[in-house]
Amino acid sequence: MAQIIGAVTTSHVPAIGGAMAKGLQAEPYWKPFFDGFPPVRRWLAEVKPDVAVVIYNDHGLNFFLDKMPTFAVGAAPEYRNADEGWGIPQVAPFRGDQDLSWHLIESLIGEDFDITTCQEMMVDHAFTLPMALLWPDQRWPVRVVPVCINTVQFPLPSARRCYRLGEAVGRAVRSWQSDARVLIMGTGGLSHQLDGQRAGFINKSFDEQFMNSLASDPEWATQYSIHDLVRLTGTQGVELVMWLAARAALGARASTRHSSYHIPISNTASGLMLLEPA
Ligand code: DHB
Ligand code: FE
């Protein structure tokens, strides 16, 4: 059976792509953010995952407001990035793992999750930038399975539902007949609001409580409704449900191997965690 080796959760702010393209990683503005990643890269070089299940939210590249699935899973042989208008370079295509995709889709639908199956799927900055942060040479050493959660158009799935989805993703991966080593990624957050009267809103104490909860009390954030989470973390801060789902995939117990947190990158409180199953 396949093995889940850990979960990496990270912010996915588009400006990261610009900073990487311009080589600004050592600039004072960017250094505290990029300095979080070398320990995760060293861990990846050690554990050598074969596949990454990437839980993220599309922001209008693959799904637009006319058709917005709550949960979608990629089942394509390959995933391409395209210009979203942020002015960041496009990255090389990602090789899919269709065997895991279909196993995941069958397991999730078998557990009563209503999944949109995507045999063609473009992946946006929320997928490509975390991949480039983990593998800066952009020669992707893993096959990928995108798992997309709507955090763009209301109504959004609850934190509790996203946690349950993550648990089901974990069960599916662990029951996959393969000797693959699987990394789970969750991208988004932490607190940020890009528009409206509270644009620039950040809540450091909530973010820190949330990050601490993932090891010790992982369902802590599921006590909050989506509207609570918008109030507490900003309209885009709700992307933290991706972290919850990724954490849930590890099973009941997990420990924090590495974490970093920095304010701000663009409008976002950026966070990074590496969690390992107990
Ligand atoms: C920013 C953050 C995001 O999560 C995103 O998807 C786009 C922009 C930002 O802070 O600039
Ligand atoms: Fe985002």
Side-chain angles (χ1 to χ4, degrees), residues 7-272:
V8 174
T9 54
T10 171
S11 307
H12 61 219
V13 177
I16 298 163
M20 285 194 285
K22 295 185 201 124
L24 304 180
Q25 292 92 331
E27 297 280 308
Y29 180 84
W30 286 104
K31 193 173 173 351
F33 170 75
F34 283 101
D35 276 355
F37 285 86
V40 177
R41 292 181 198 137
R42 283 195 291 273
W43 175 83
L44 287 166
E46 240 173 70
V47 298
K48 295 188 177 56
D50 304 296
V51 189
V53 173
V54 185
I55 305 174
Y56 74 107
N57 60 296
D58 183 88
H59 301 70
L61 180 68
N62 191 68
F63 303 117
F64 200 61
L65 304 181
D66 59 337
K67 301 179 196 73
M68 183 60 68
T70 300
F71 299 127
V73 176
E78 179 180 87
Y79 302 91
R80 287 177 181 270
N81 178 218
D83 185 10
E84 298 171 67
W86 295 106
I88 55 180
Q90 285 162 52
V91 302
F94 300 86
R95 203 157 36 104
D97 188 315
Q98 287 178 292
D99 193 47
L100 178 56
S101 286
W102 285 111
H103 176 72
L104 201 54
I105 290 161
E106 283 180 16
S107 303
L108 291 174
I109 291 178
E111 290 203 37
D112 300 334
F113 285 91
D114 303 315
I115 299 295
T116 298
T117 299
C118 302
Q119 298 189 60
E120 279 179 24
M121 193 175 189
M122 284 188 293
V123 288
D124 79 352
H125 68 274
F127 184 104
T128 61
L129 295 176
M131 291 291 289
L133 285 164
L134 299 197
W135 292 287
D137 66 1
Q138 301 191 15
R139 298 157 62 102
W140 319 120
V142 288
R143 305 182 297 280
V144 299
V145 176
V147 175
C148 205
I149 299 180
N150 169 34
T151 53
V152 169
Q153 175 159 271
F154 278 76
L156 312 186
S158 70
R160 182 170 305 282
R161 186 67 174 154
C162 295
Y163 195 91
R164 298 287 169 252
L165 178 82
E167 289 180 311
V169 167
R171 282 191 290 274
V173 172
R174 282 188 293 272
S175 68
W176 179 38
Q177 300 243 2
S178 161
D179 56 10
R181 297 159 66 75
V182 180
L183 172 72
I184 310 288
M185 292 167 62
T187 95
L190 286 177
S191 59
H192 64 303
Q193 171 143 348
L194 301 180
D195 45 18
Q197 286 187 342
R198 291 201 314 166
F201 177 78
I202 278 172
N203 186 345
K204 183 177 180 199
S205 68
F206 181 91
D207 288 339
E208 288 177 338
Q209 237 181 322
F210 173 63
M211 289 174 78
N212 288 331
S213 74
L214 288 181
S216 58
D217 183 12
E219 296 193 45
W220 174 78
T222 66
Q223 70 182 290
Y224 296 110
S225 72
I226 283 295
H227 292 92
D228 288 337
L229 288 173
V230 167
R231 265 189 297 279
L232 287 163
T233 70
T235 41
Q236 281 74 35
V238 289
E239 289 176 347
L240 65 78
V241 295
M242 261 56 77
W243 290 46
L244 269 182
R247 164 61 189 87
L250 298 182
R253 283 187 325 196
S255 57
T256 303
R257 169 100 177 223
H258 174 70
S259 81
S260 82
Y261 181 79
H262 174 68
I263 295 172
I265 291 299
S266 183
N267 287 300
T268 300
S270 64
L272 167 69

